[in-house]
């Protein structure tokens, strides 16, 4: 049961994003651009550069990352009217953990596990401003932004030094509390190891107070999230601690 709950609770919005991607690609004829949710297309290390200097997060070509003439990067998100009103009135919006608990309810512990790991890594390289308890999630390709009826698409331009860039597919593995293997074989071997221990999935290990070594091994593998193997915008995401009024280009 835990594995099923994890898959449904975590991947529901991603499945809806994929549905929208397929619909838009088919409607516009760009069927060849549909991306895989399971396999990276590039396995080489790349370098991200801006006109103001080399980016410290990730590697790849700046022009493929929607870079502007002033070195800022174009990104997209969708936020509620409440968040947008906060930005317009106060100049900034930061995420509180209480919001995450309220949004995800009984599944919030899953996101707390993933977000705590991510936040701890992010603040090592991107200073965390006071009041920011969790990052804001952004996309380089707007087609991957999930929008509810009251959440319009927002175009942003943000300085690279405020961002932590990572691979979307790897992040889904973190959200599913799964191992990020260097190869598919490593992940398959790990699943067999779990089954030999009587576990249907790594999610099941996290849902109990047992298996500390398994959990530590999985969390250690999550560090691979920040090693980029592609510079394709549709394969990457970014996180920022806060959204500022001056970040917004169009909403």
């Amino acid at each position: 049961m835990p594995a099923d709950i994890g898959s449904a609770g975590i991947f529901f919005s991603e499945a809806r994003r994929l549905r929208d991607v397929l619909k838009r690609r088919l409607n516009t004829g760009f069927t060849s651009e549909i991306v895989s949710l399971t396999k990276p297309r590039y396995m080489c290390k790349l370098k991200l550069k801006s006109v103001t200097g080399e980016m410290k997060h990730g590697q790849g070509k700046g022009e493929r990352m929607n870079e502007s003439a002033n070195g800022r990067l174009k990104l997209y998100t969708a936020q509620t009217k409440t968040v947008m009103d906060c930005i317009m009135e106060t100049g900034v919006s930061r995420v509180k953990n209480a919001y995450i608990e309220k949004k995800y309810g009984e599944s919030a512990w899953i996101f707390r596990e993933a977000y705590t790991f991510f936040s701890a890594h992010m603040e090592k390289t991107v200073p965390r401003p006071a009041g920011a308890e969790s990052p804001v999630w952004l996309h380089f390709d707007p087609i991957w932004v999930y929008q509810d009826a009251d959440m319009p698409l927002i175009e942003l331009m943000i300085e690279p030094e405020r961002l932590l860039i990572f691979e979307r597919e790897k992040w889904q593995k973190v959200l599913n509390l799964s191992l990020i293997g260097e190869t598919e074989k490593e992940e398959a071997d790990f699943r067999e190891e779990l089954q030999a221990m009587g576990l249907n999935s790594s999610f099941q290990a996290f849902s109990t107070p047992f298996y500390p070594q398994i959990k530590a091994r999985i969390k250690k593998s999550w560090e691979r999230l920040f090693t980029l193997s592609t510079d394709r915008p549709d394969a990457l995401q970014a996180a920022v601690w806060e959204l500022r009024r001056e970040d917004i280009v169009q909403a």
Side-chain angles (χ1 to χ4, degrees), residues 7 10-22 25 33-41 139 143-144 167-174 176 178-180 184 187 191 232 234-237:
S7 298
I10 296 169
F11 288 109
F12 182 61
S13 61
E14 187 70 11
R16 286 192 289 184
R17 287 193 190 99
L18 180 58
R19 178 201 62 194
D20 292 340
V21 168
L22 293 171
R25 296 301 195 203
E33 296 298 320
I34 297 174
V35 296
S36 166
L37 289 179
T38 57
K39 296 181 181 179
R41 301 255 182 113
H139 288 271
I143 206 159
W144 287 105
E167 292 189 27
R168 177 175 50 80
E169 293 175 5
K170 291 179 181 177
W171 178 233
Q172 292 304 312
K173 293 178 182 179
V174 175
N176 206 36
S178 298
L179 182 94
I180 299 179
E184 291 184 359
E187 294 181 2
R191 287 192 294 270
R232 287 172 43 239
D234 61 351
L236 298 177
Q237 283 187 246

Side-chain angles (χ1 to χ4, degrees), residues 97-112:
N97 288 333
Y99 168 75
I100 299 171
E101 297 289 332
K102 180 179 179 180
K103 180 178 180 180
Y104 295 110
E106 63 181 18
S107 298
W109 70 270
I110 304 169
F111 292 88
R112 186 166 56 247

Side-chain angles (χ1 to χ4, degrees), residues 13 16-17 20 24 76-85 99 103-104 136-139 142 144-155 243 250-251:
S13 61
R16 286 192 289 184
R17 287 193 190 99
D20 292 340
R24 294 180 203 175
Y76 300 88
T77 186
Q79 300 294 331
T80 63
K81 184 179 184 299
T82 300
V83 172
M84 292 302 294
D85 288 345
Y99 168 75
K103 180 178 180 180
Y104 295 110
V136 179
W137 311 105
L138 312 172
H139 288 271
W144 287 105
V145 178
Y146 171 69
Q147 297 174 253
D148 270 333
D150 64 339
M151 296 172 62
L153 182 69
I154 302 168
E155 180 181 326
L243 291 179
Q250 183 176 348

Side-chain angles (χ1 to χ4, degrees), residues 41-236:
R41 301 255 182 113
Y42 296 87
M43 294 306 292
C44 56
K45 288 200 172 181
L46 306 159
K47 243 181 183 181
L48 268 179
K49 291 186 176 180
S50 70
V51 295
T52 57
E54 189 172 299
M55 289 186 63
K56 61 182 176 181
H57 305 306
Q59 299 184 325
K61 294 181 180 179
E63 63 271 20
R64 299 192 67 180
M65 300 292 293
N66 307 337
E67 186 180 29
S68 71
N70 62 6
R72 294 197 299 169
L73 296 176
K74 182 187 294 185
L75 295 122
Y76 300 88
T77 186
Q79 300 294 331
T80 63
K81 184 179 184 299
T82 300
V83 172
M84 292 302 294
D85 288 345
C86 178
I87 296 173
M88 294 300 108
E89 293 172 9
T90 69
V92 67
S93 175
R94 304 182 183 101
V95 178
K96 299 293 185 182
N97 288 333
Y99 168 75
I100 299 171
E101 297 289 332
K102 180 179 179 180
K103 180 178 180 180
Y104 295 110
E106 63 181 18
S107 298
W109 70 270
I110 304 169
F111 292 88
R112 186 166 56 247
E113 193 80 55
Y115 289 8
T116 297
F117 158 78
F118 192 100
S119 297
H121 184 95
M122 183 169 175
E123 66 182 353
K124 293 177 183 178
T125 52
V126 182
R128 186 200 296 246
E133 297 180 1
S134 185
V136 179
W137 311 105
L138 312 172
H139 288 271
F140 287 96
D141 188 340
I143 206 159
W144 287 105
V145 178
Y146 171 69
Q147 297 174 253
D148 270 333
D150 64 339
M151 296 172 62
L153 182 69
I154 302 168
E155 180 181 326
L156 309 164
M157 295 298 292
I158 299 180
E159 299 84 353
E161 58 269 19
R162 291 173 52 203
L163 301 169
L164 181 58
I165 298 171
F166 55 98
E167 292 189 27
R168 177 175 50 80
E169 293 175 5
K170 291 179 181 177
W171 178 233
Q172 292 304 312
K173 293 178 182 179
V174 175
L175 288 175
N176 206 36
L177 306 182
S178 298
L179 182 94
I180 299 179
E182 290 187 350
T183 64
E184 291 184 359
K185 184 179 185 305
E186 180 183 351
E187 294 181 2
D189 289 346
F190 185 70
R191 287 192 294 270
E192 290 183 4
E193 185 178 337
L194 292 178
Q195 290 173 0
M197 299 174 64
L199 296 172
N200 294 325
S201 68
S202 55
F203 181 88
Q204 190 175 357
F206 276 92
S207 64
T208 75
F210 309 110
Y211 311 106
Q213 293 181 334
I214 289 294
K215 287 182 274 193
R217 185 171 161 191
I218 292 170
K219 288 183 178 181
K220 179 65 176 176
S221 78
W222 290 351
E223 295 176 7
R224 294 168 178 159
L225 172 66
F226 308 105
T227 300
L228 304 186
S229 59
T230 178
D231 64 348
R232 287 172 43 239
D234 61 351
L236 298 177

